[in-house]
Amino acid sequence: MNRRIIVRKNDQIISGLFEEKELIQLDLSKKDRLLGAIYIGKVKHIAKNIQAAFIEIGDGQIVYYNLNKNPLPLFTKATNGNQVCIGDELVIQIEKEAMKTKEPVATSKWSINGRYVICVYGQSFLHFSSKIKDAAWKKEIKEMIEPLDFSDGILIRTNAQYVSKEELKNELCQIHDQLETIKRIAIYRTAYTCLYKPESDYLTAIRDTYSNDLGEIITDDAEIFEELKQYFEQKFPNDVQKLRYYDDLLLPLEKQYRFNIELGRLLNRQVWLKSGAYLIIEPTETLIAIDVNTGKAINGKQSEETFLKINLEAAKEIARQLRLRNLSGMILIDFINMKSSEYRVQLMEALQRFVASDPVKTVVVDITKLNLVEVTRKKEKPPLYELLSKEY
């Protein structure tokens, strides 16, 4: 499959992942991005009724911190046990961006992501991506890692199965050293210090794309191309040849890949399917409602087979729209009703396959008593319609 990433710069940096000419993922680089950054925060308020602390990370920015979910905080000054009190200074990481009226969410289980591994402070485990099925390979990696005797949690990412064990081990050791450095220097830093800042959104999107699937990374911006070149020479020297600077003035990159047109479509509530059916996507305060309509797809043939065909087409497009629009939380989908239990099972299995390629954890839960399909998608960043409504 021909996959490529296109990076362009308008008011902000936009990167798109394409399969052939179809856009499947879109990332906008946010100037004041907090997600993934590690700070020394100062506790400003404790809300005992909800077992939460509210912590400042500088310039008046307050973040929410769940006390029950963070039993082992890292304090930068001596304290009495692990109890968090007003005035305490502790090392925290932003794990969720602000969502509407909700503050950003912070955690003490801070982590650093690489292309092949994720290391987590405050936990001890070795987990593998659920997409890695090779038991023999996992056994070999476990045997390689055990002698290192790292105290941090380790998650082996899907990308790891496509590189040599030496390359995987090198990245693991590098990230482990970064965590150890943060722990070591934190006690000498003052409140509100940023101890670690991840790469920009577009670099993260490129890093997380499966290296064996990605054909090339194209940009028409000279400054971005130089940044990409330096980044790849430092982090992924084997992939530098995938970078391409586009300078064809007769056929601009924007006209080839139509970012502006795609962005406009992604703000529409109605999405047409090739069959003539269409989706209605309605974000609400509590959930995302998606309705599948037959539209022009029914020409007098209202058979179960026709309904199944439309539903399968809709399921594929829904998985794509969730990823493109970054819709998350609880999602309820009203597919066209089918009496056949066999067809309903077929639809659920297909939807599970389609969402499996989403890098954000997405779970097809079940069909409710009202014949609505319930899906959950992990909340990490604001949805696209919110990002485009703000200034960056």
Side-chain angles (χ1 to χ4, degrees):
M1 187 173 291
N2 188 4
R3 300 179 101 206
R4 62 188 64 185
I5 289 177
I6 311 299
V7 186
R8 301 204 68 251
K9 190 175 184 180
N10 291 326
D11 295 331
Q12 63 270 333
I13 298 174
I14 304 173
S15 64
L17 174 61
F18 289 81
E19 286 184 353
E20 303 301 338
K21 285 289 184 100
E22 183 178 60
L23 181 65
I24 63 169
Q25 183 171 314
L26 192 68
D27 291 276
L28 277 68
S29 283
K30 186 179 177 183
K31 290 179 182 176
D32 55 347
R33 181 188 187 216
L34 293 176
L35 187 67
I38 299 176
Y39 292 90
I40 297 177
K42 191 166 187 175
V43 180
K44 293 295 183 180
H45 178 64
I46 303 287
K48 292 185 178 179
N49 59 325
I50 58 172
Q51 280 297 292
F54 293 89
I55 302 173
E56 185 180 352
I57 58 173
D59 296 326
Q61 176 66 65
I62 301 295
V63 299
Y64 171 86
Y65 180 86
N66 188 309
L67 295 170
N68 289 332
K69 291 183 178 180
N70 293 282
L72 297 171
L74 177 62
F75 297 93
T76 59
K77 296 179 182 178
T79 59
N80 296 319
N82 288 323
Q83 185 175 354
V84 176
C85 302
I86 293 175
D88 282 343
E89 295 177 10
L90 54 155
V91 183
I92 55 174
Q93 183 174 42
I94 310 304
E95 65 174 346
K96 289 182 184 178
E97 291 272 17
M99 300 279 183
K100 294 182 181 177
T101 58
K102 294 182 179 180
E103 302 288 0
V105 177
T107 178
S108 285
K109 299 169 187 173
W110 29 278
S111 62
I112 294 180
N113 293 12
R115 189 178 235 183
Y116 313 120
V117 299
I118 299 172
C119 287
V120 185
Y121 164 79
Q123 294 185 308
S124 181
F125 62 79
L126 175 59
H127 294 160
F128 291 84
S129 164
S130 60
K131 296 179 183 179
I132 299 176
K133 306 299 183 184
D134 189 335
W137 184 87
K138 289 194 280 189
K139 185 174 182 291
E140 290 176 10
I141 298 302
K142 186 176 181 181
E143 290 172 351
M144 179 190 75
I145 292 174
E146 279 180 344
L148 299 176
D149 197 28
F150 290 164
S151 59
D152 302 311
I154 299 169
L155 172 63
I156 307 298
R157 308 187 71 179
T158 308
N159 267 344
Q161 61 191 323
Y162 307 122
V163 297
S164 68
K165 294 183 181 67
E166 183 181 358
E167 195 170 350
L168 171 59
K169 184 178 179 180
N170 286 342
E171 186 183 81
L172 173 59
C173 292
Q174 180 187 13
I175 294 176
H176 172 74
D177 288 345
Q178 279 185 279
L179 283 179
E180 291 298 311
T181 300
I182 291 170
K183 286 186 276 186
R184 186 173 65 253
I185 69 172
I187 59 174
Y188 302 108
R189 299 293 188 267
T190 58
Y192 315 134
T193 299
C194 182
L195 299 169
Y196 169 78
K197 200 150 191 156
E199 297 105 348
S200 61
D201 290 324
Y202 87 94
L203 290 176
T204 300
I206 291 170
R207 180 199 69 196
D208 291 346
T209 301
Y210 295 170
S211 56
N212 69 315
D213 286 346
L214 188 60
E216 55 185 347
I217 302 114
I218 308 171
T219 182
D220 57 357
D221 185 280
E223 186 179 341
I224 290 175
F225 181 77
E226 284 305 314
E227 185 178 7
L228 282 168
K229 188 177 177 184
Q230 290 176 22
Y231 177 74
F232 271 75
E233 286 175 346
Q234 180 186 358
K235 298 260 187 177
F236 313 113
N238 294 334
D239 287 339
V240 172
Q241 76 280 0
K242 293 181 179 180
L243 300 177
R244 181 157 71 93
Y245 179 62
Y246 189 90
D247 58 357
D248 186 345
L249 299 178
L250 296 177
L251 183 60
L253 202 57
E254 166 61 36
K255 291 211 168 175
Q256 273 207 69
Y257 290 92
R258 304 179 302 170
F259 269 116
N260 291 337
I261 294 174
E262 289 287 356
L263 283 171
R265 286 175 179 168
L266 292 173
L267 293 177
N268 292 338
R269 62 190 289 270
Q270 187 174 39
V271 179
W272 284 98
L273 305 177
K274 289 181 180 179
S275 65
Y278 63 91
L279 311 175
I280 296 293
I281 302 175
E282 291 280 10
T284 71
E285 287 291 328
T286 54
L287 55 83
I288 309 296
I290 301 178
D291 188 32
V292 180
N293 293 273
T294 56
K296 303 172 184 176
I298 299 295
N299 294 317
K301 296 181 180 180
Q302 300 205 15
S303 66
E304 288 274 291
E305 290 79 8
T306 303
F307 294 156
L308 174 63
K309 185 178 178 181
I310 294 170
N311 280 337
L312 290 175
E313 182 188 18
K316 185 176 182 180
E317 185 60 28
I318 287 168
R320 175 175 174 263
Q321 290 292 325
L322 293 180
R323 186 173 174 181
L324 278 172
R325 298 178 185 226
N326 196 29
L327 299 174
S328 54
M330 184 168 70
I331 300 148
L332 291 179
I333 308 169
D334 188 6
F335 285 104
I336 301 166
N337 286 339
M338 298 182 295
K339 295 178 182 178
S340 169
S341 58
E342 180 185 343
Y343 285 174
R344 288 199 298 270
V345 169
Q346 194 174 330
L347 173 61
M348 292 291 282
E349 289 176 347
L351 183 59
Q352 286 171 338
R353 285 197 309 275
F354 295 139
V355 301
S357 60
D358 194 330
V360 176
K361 185 178 180 181
T362 307
V363 178
V364 179
V365 182
D366 204 352
I367 299 179
T368 70
K369 291 181 179 179
L370 296 175
N371 284 322
L372 300 175
V373 175
E374 184 180 352
V375 176
T376 61
R377 191 171 184 270
K378 186 178 179 183
K379 290 185 178 181
E380 290 184 353
K381 300 178 186 177
L384 185 67
Y385 67 84
E386 281 189 22
L387 290 176
L388 291 175
S389 68
K390 299 176 182 177
E391 287 187 13
Y392 287 82

